[in-house]
Each structure stands twice: as structure tokens, then as C-alpha cells.
Amino acid sequence: MSRPRLFRRPPPEPRGVGLESVFGFAAGAAAVGGFWLGRKLSRALPRGCGHPAKHQMLDTASALAQRKIPLESMNTFLNGFHMYADDMGRQVEACHFCMHLAPDLHQCVIFDSNAEDAKLIGIEYIISAERFAKLDAEEKKLWHSHDYEIKSGTLVAPGIPEMAEHAYFEDLITTYGKTFHTWQVDRHDFPYGIPQLMMAFTDDGQLDPALLAARDERYGIDSDARRAHRADIPSPDVDPAANSWQNGQSHQTRMCGCAFHRPNTNQAEHNE
């Protein structure tokens, strides 16, 4: 009995590129270009109200012509909460936009939201446990740990799949942060005053549950579920010198007068 032959459909004959294909490609490219330009223009338009026409034109032109390379490198968005280092009752939601500057150092800018008109309210530096251990005693008083924020589910990376977020926080849980807020948004609608040292929460019952619930609803997040999902992340041994407020003595910045020093120009000219 002979074996059946397998027939294959011959491949289609090559066809030349016609005008329809060219026009189709051009139309697609134009659509993509238009979409890209539209997004860039929408981001270039000044936010807020009352901007003079001159400022609107300058802002739009700058947005289209200039690259903001450090801002483009801010590749991670984290949302959490800070308290003022000398007052646990003053609590602020903080949207961090961070870049991994070195293996043991992240740097973040902090806004009060992830909206187009968000207020820039502060900065945070995040370092490894190894680098923190090398700091002197006075410097350590300025830093807080991240272990509770991560284990409790209050620090999140909105929009990131939970598996990827889990892997990210496995590394971040041993780190320490130093944060200063330059705008006291809980009290003022303008950046009055001097930068304030901020701290992070370290236990249940400290963060205002209404603040957490509002954040979770806005981003569609279940903090309790995040807590459960991160239960397997090992808790680090936190350096007792961090979170200095837990010892009953807080630290905060103050304005003080001091002598002003200028180069001795007369001496420099005499030496010449």
C-alpha cells in the first residue's frame, strides 16, 4: 500500500509594491507622527490658569525643542506616605519619581499627586543598608527605614504587575531614605518656609486610615491584599539609629542667623 503524498500549497508569488501600499504606509506613519506630536503638544501646554500669552508660547516652544534627560531617566513611580519628623499628626501622601543613580543609591523627586498640575513638594535619597552602616551617628538621625512601608502594603508602585512589584520591593526593603519636603501642602497653598525633614511610618495604627483609603480608591489598590502578597518578603534587621524619632527625640530644620563670608578680594589682588 503506497504512502499518501503530502501536498503543500505553493507559496504566493511575490508581488510588487504598489501605490496603495506606499500610500497606506505613509498614512500610517502620518497617524503615528500626528499622535506623537499631539501628545507632545498636550504636554507642552502650560498647566494652571492665567498664564500670559508670551509665557504660553515660550513654554510650548521649550517643551518641543528641549530634551529633559534627567526627567526622562525617572523610570519608577512609587506612592507612599510621609510624616513630619517632629509631628506624626501631620501626614502627607507622596508620589515619588525615581531613578537608580548607582547600585546603592536612588534619587527621587516628590509630587503631591500624579496629575499634570501636581505640586513639586520634595526630594528623597534612598541608599543601601551597607552604605547606611557607614554613615556617622549624626547623619543617621536624618534617615528612615522602608521595611514597614513595604511589608504593610502602604508603599506601592501603581500600574506595575504585582509579581514585578514584589521583586522590586524584595530589594528595596533593606534600604533607608532621607526626605525633605520643600512645600508644606498640608498647611499652605504656596511653598512657604524652609525644607522640613520627613519620616516614614514604622507600625500599624500610625497612618491615618482615611488617607490610606482615599489613596487606594484613587489608584484601585487593595493595601491589605498587597500586605498579604508580601508576607514572604524577609524582614531585615533595621539599624536602631534610623527612625530616630522612635527614641522620643525628633529632629527638624530651623532657620537661624549666621555671619556672611565673602572671599578676601583685597588679599587675592595683593598676592597677584
Side-chain angles (χ1 to χ4, degrees):
M1 182 174 174
S2 61
R3 305 176 71 179
R5 297 180 61 186
L6 299 178
F7 293 95
R8 295 182 180 178
R9 180 175 298 176
E13 296 182 2
R15 300 172 58 185
V17 178
L19 288 177
E20 291 182 0
S21 299
V22 173
F23 284 130
F25 176 81
V32 172
F35 174 76
W36 175 85
L37 183 59
R39 288 191 64 184
K40 196 167 181 66
L41 283 170
S42 68
R43 294 174 179 174
L45 296 176
R47 305 302 170 191
C49 302
H51 296 292
K54 175 183 177 181
H55 292 175
Q56 294 185 38
M57 293 176 61
L58 290 172
D59 290 347
T60 301
S62 297
L64 293 173
Q66 296 178 315
R67 286 194 64 188
K68 287 77 176 177
I69 295 175
L71 298 183
E72 295 170 7
S73 300
M74 300 291 176
N75 48 30
T76 305
F77 166 38
L78 302 175
N79 179 281
F81 302 90
H82 293 151
M83 67 177 182
Y84 287 78
D86 58 339
D87 189 348
M88 185 180 288
R90 297 181 64 190
Q91 304 181 3
V92 180
E93 182 178 343
C95 292
H96 307 61
F97 299 89
C98 308
M99 64 180 293
H100 206 166
L101 189 65
D104 58 354
L105 173 64
H106 296 74
Q107 59 182 12
C108 311
V109 291
I110 302 172
F111 289 81
D112 68 334
S113 73
N114 193 23
E116 294 175 338
D117 59 349
K119 301 178 180 70
L120 174 63
I121 63 173
I123 58 171
E124 178 166 359
Y125 299 103
I126 299 174
I127 61 174
S128 66
E130 292 75 18
R131 175 168 284 201
F132 181 81
K134 298 176 182 178
L135 301 178
D136 62 48
E138 287 301 303
E139 176 68 23
K140 287 183 177 181
K141 294 176 181 179
L142 305 175
W143 297 77
H144 60 266
S145 63
H146 291 128
D147 58 306
Y148 173 77
E149 291 185 278
I150 291 172
K151 293 287 287 186
S152 66
T154 57
L155 182 64
V156 296
I160 298 296
E162 286 194 42
M163 184 177 296
E165 184 190 63
H166 187 284
Y168 182 80
F169 285 142
E170 286 175 1
D171 294 332
L172 202 68
I173 197 169
T174 59
T175 61
Y176 296 83
K178 179 168 70 172
T179 304
F180 286 95
H181 280 199
T182 55
W183 189 330
Q184 300 181 47
V185 289
D186 60 320
R187 289 186 174 176
H188 306 299
D189 61 355
F190 192 82
Y192 294 115
I194 59 176
Q196 296 289 287
L197 180 65
M198 310 297 286
M199 287 286 162
F201 300 100
T202 59
D203 204 353
D204 292 343
Q206 296 173 352
L207 175 61
D208 182 354
L211 199 63
L212 177 61
R215 189 282 306 273
D216 284 1
E217 181 178 3
R218 190 180 320 114
Y219 288 102
I221 288 172
D222 185 340
S223 294
D224 291 334
R226 298 291 173 98
R227 179 196 288 257
H229 185 62
R230 301 173 189 173
D232 63 324
I233 299 179
S235 296
D237 293 326
V238 177
D239 192 315
N243 311 306
S244 58
W245 59 271
Q246 293 187 124
N247 299 320
Q249 183 66 39
S250 63
H251 301 83
Q252 192 52 272
T253 55
R254 296 285 185 267
M255 183 76 78
C256 65
C258 58
F260 176 75
H261 300 278
R262 67 170 72 243
N264 189 340
T265 55
N266 293 332
Q267 183 65 36
E269 291 173 357
H270 176 75
N271 291 338
E272 291 178 357

